[in-house]
Amino acid sequence: MAKKDNATPPSNLPEVNFSDYGDVRFLHLGTEWVQGSMLRDAPYDIELEYVQRMMAGLLFLDAETVAKKHAMQLGLGSAALTKFCYKKLRMKTTAIEINPQVVSACRIWFKLPRDDARLHVIEADAADEIRKPAHHGTVDLLHVDLYDHEAAAPVLDDADFYANCRSLLTEDGIMTVNLFGRDSSFEESLTKMAEAFGPESIWAFRPTREGNTVVMAQFEPTRPERAELLQRAGVIESRWDLPAKKWLRLFKPVV
């Protein structure tokens, strides 16, 4: 790693730092675990494969309406999803992050823009914030990627939490969740999501080589024909340069 810098967080939160390796910048929370990344020459693209997969909800939306919709991220990381939704998709975008130093780091080191009419970064505990009625029924794409500095298991991963996530969604809204960590249980997490969303609403990718499994849950389950999904994947690839056709080979409804 060629360069490293630090920001001092409050005493109860981990140190925030970054490292550069070639043309990629990585975010860390005081450990070697990567909490996010950015291509230094293309800061609004998504560099990590699992983070690209977190955008799979686009397969279930009409591309012509995306810019009129609302994306929310629980956990800012390096702001890759927040920046992509805001800059590339032109969506109204809200991010909820508990550590103010992560927010500062993203703005200083990871090209996160300042808040404006379409972008709102909230410094809060996601478990508490998502219970607020003002957010309910407003989110079309919900991205959940909540890990602490040890990256051992999701910080929030129970049926009540997922029920609160579902309450955020519009009728055609979609939640995607990153499951990773040596202490996490994929089957247990799926069971909790199915309890909150219904078992027919759950889709899952195969794990990445790094061990990230992205799971998707729909507010209301649908089963689009493969031809329709292929057509939408082609649009996603041409408009936003995401490997959407590959996604169709790697994810499916969970039985």
Side-chain angles (χ1 to χ4, degrees), residues 153-185:
V155 173
L156 298 172
D157 183 42
D158 58 51
D160 286 343
F161 168 68
Y162 292 124
N164 288 331
C165 286
R166 187 175 186 273
S167 72
L168 296 171
L169 298 179
T170 60
E171 289 186 1
D172 60 352
I174 298 146
M175 175 185 75
T176 51
V177 181
N178 172 40
L179 296 178
F180 173 79
R182 57 187 179 274
D183 293 338
S184 63
S185 169

Side-chain angles (χ1 to χ4, degrees), residues 137-158:
T138 71
V139 180
D140 301 287
L141 290 179
L142 176 66
H143 305 117
V144 181
D145 195 1
L146 293 166
Y147 286 83
D148 62 15
H149 59 290
E150 295 182 345
V155 173
L156 298 172
D157 183 42
D158 58 51

Side-chain angles (χ1 to χ4, degrees), residues 36 57 98 102 160 171 193 236:
I98 195 171
V102 170
D160 286 343
E171 289 186 1
M193 287 183 218
I236 292 167

Side-chain angles (χ1 to χ4, degrees), residues 41-52:
D41 293 335
Y44 303 117
D45 290 351
I46 298 177
E47 190 266 331
L48 292 173
E49 182 180 17
Y50 94 84
V51 184
Q52 293 176 349

Side-chain angles (χ1 to χ4, degrees), residues 7-15 99-101 149:
T8 303
S11 58
N12 62 328
L13 293 170
E15 176 188 42
N99 190 340
Q101 294 304 315
H149 59 290

Side-chain angles (χ1 to χ4, degrees), residues 66-69 83-93 116 118 240:
V66 166
K68 300 176 182 178
K69 293 186 178 294
K83 291 184 298 182
F84 189 86
C85 291
Y86 172 72
K87 281 283 191 178
K88 299 280 188 170
L89 302 182
R90 309 298 299 172
M91 298 178 76
K92 176 183 177 183
T93 306
D116 62 15
R118 285 194 299 110
W240 301 306

Side-chain angles (χ1 to χ4, degrees), residues 228-241:
E228 182 180 358
L229 289 174
L230 277 169
Q231 187 273 332
R232 290 183 178 177
V235 172
I236 292 167
E237 291 195 348
S238 63
R239 286 194 179 198
W240 301 306
D241 197 27

Side-chain angles (χ1 to χ4, degrees), residues 17 35 45 77 213:
N17 51 54
Q35 300 285 341
D45 290 351
T213 302

